[in-house]
Amino acid sequence: MKSSVITFPGSNCDRDMDVALKKFGFNNKMVWHDDNELPKSDLVVLPGGFSYGDYLRCGSMASKSRIMQSVIDFAKSGGLIMGICNGFQILVETGLVPGVLLRNKYLEFICKNVFVKLDNKENAYFKNINKDILEFHIAHNEGNYFCTKDQLKEIEDNNQIAIYYCNSEGKIQDQYNPNGSIKNIAGIFNKKKNVLGMMPHPERMIDQSLSGEDGSIFFKNLINNIK
Amino acid sequence: MKVSAIITLKKDVLDPQGKVIHQALDGMGFENINEVRQGKYFEIDVNENDPSKAKAIVEDMCKKLLANLVIENFKIIGTQ
């Protein structure tokens, strides 16, 4: 299975993602933001980091990079695209997934482990996964998901909410919402569910001795779904 | 020709920075504040001498990059 990770100036989770994808069997290529064309891929990942120093709005400059036209075409043809953290911010700025990510409610950079609850397994990312609650890591300053009332209704009607912030038992409540996101939203899909944007980093949870293994569960399941 | 534009958060969008600035101003003794909202200001020098054409170019920039219309409004406030 072939994957591509796009590196923007200021990306800093691109190599972590490369390690994670390779560990679970992807033949991964790193792609520079200024390239014209994506290599043939089964999965494209927009990694975390601080592309263009978060100038203007997080992800806004990267969303206009040369490679992004090819990424948008890939999404429109049904290709799988996953945006993690800054990658999620880039996805909302391209309009591939609805909404925006605002500054965290309490103006703090948040760096900690969180639990997320899967809402929807009818998609290539979470189909067949044997857990409903996963422990991932978050590290962001702008992860406060926001959308208009009309957008929220549309997102809910189409089952586009991918994961919610929750506690270890899967309770989705205000007190487990780290950043003020509407409805505790931690990740969402596009309408066709081939594009996934999420703030948590599964690539930071792939080694039992360093972190946890819920990222391993996620990536193993993902590659099996794509095969 | 220089075109000035301001970008402001829409009414319903939370502005935590504005809130903190409000609190700081309160603490400094500025007590008559109802609300503070923070925005952005751009001054763009466009290679165009016709004011309405220059405005139209910057408007297009605002729609495509400078503002995110889900959360922000923009206004061209002047040309010189």
Side-chain angles (χ1 to χ4, degrees), chain A residues 33 99 116 135 145 150:
Chain A
H33 71 102
V116 294
E135 188 180 12
Y145 183 77
D150 293 345

Side-chain angles (χ1 to χ4, degrees), chain A residues 144-161:
Chain A
N144 179 355
Y145 183 77
F146 178 87
C147 60
T148 62
K149 274 184 193 152
D150 293 345
Q151 280 180 318
L152 184 62
K153 188 177 181 304
E154 209 183 321
I155 289 166
E156 288 184 317
D157 289 351
N158 295 321
N159 289 321
Q160 283 173 253
I161 302 176

Side-chain angles (χ1 to χ4, degrees), chain B residues 48-65:
Chain B
E48 172 62 63
N49 294 324
D50 178 343
S52 64
K53 277 185 189 163
K55 264 188 188 174
I57 293 167
V58 174
E59 234 176 74
D60 200 30
M61 291 176 190
C62 286
K63 284 179 192 160
K64 288 180 178 160
L65 178 68

Side-chain angles (χ1 to χ4, degrees), chain A residues 2 72 76 85 194:
Chain A
K2 288 180 178 157
I72 290 165
K76 286 189 177 154
C85 197
N194 59 313

Side-chain angles (χ1 to χ4, degrees), chain A residues 56-57 60-61 64 93 99-100 102-105 107 144 146-148 151, chain B residues 9-10 12-14 16-17 20 40 42 64-68 70-72:
Chain A
L56 191 62
R57 292 177 308 275
S60 64
M61 314 302 288
K64 312 294 179 201
E93 284 287 343
V100 290
L102 300 174
R103 190 94 187 257
N104 295 340
K105 192 174 174 186
L107 296 173
N144 179 355
F146 178 87
C147 60
T148 62
Q151 280 180 318
Chain B
L9 278 176
K10 286 183 177 170
D12 299 337
V13 181
L14 182 78
Q17 294 182 90
V20 172
K40 292 175 187 141
F42 293 90
K64 288 180 178 160
L65 178 68
L66 304 181
N68 182 328
V70 178
I71 48 164
E72 292 169 325

